[in-house]
Amino acid sequence: MKKFNYQTCLRMSETLKDEMTKICDQNAINESDFMRHAIKESILNYSKESENGFNQLRYA
């Protein structure tokens, strides 16, 4: 397991948490790994959109 030197807290709705838990259970992955991957993908997409002038923030 890789250790990370930064930790943050995330609040989410019960519905969002339940969906994430279901996905993680079905794919046998940790919720923290899922969140790291989702955040990474969001940042990459955000960066691409800002280069094209279509930058918009999206909230779940």
Side-chain angles (χ1 to χ4, degrees), residues 2 10 17 22 24 28 45:
K2 184 174 181 177
L10 175 69
K17 183 249 182 224
K22 188 188 322 179
C24 291
N45 289 335

Side-chain angles (χ1 to χ4, degrees), residues 11-30:
R11 294 180 189 190
M12 66 177 76
S13 69
E14 190 82 20
T15 305
L16 192 57
K17 183 249 182 224
D18 291 343
E19 288 298 316
M20 181 183 67
T21 300
K22 188 188 322 179
I23 292 168
C24 291
D25 288 347
Q26 289 172 348
N27 295 290
I29 57 176
N30 293 327

Side-chain angles (χ1 to χ4, degrees), residues 6 8 13 18 20-21 27 33 41 47 49 55 58-59:
Y6 181 78
T8 190
S13 69
D18 291 343
M20 181 183 67
T21 300
N27 295 290
D33 292 335
E41 291 298 314
S47 297
E49 290 174 1
N55 197 359
R58 296 182 200 118
Y59 298 96

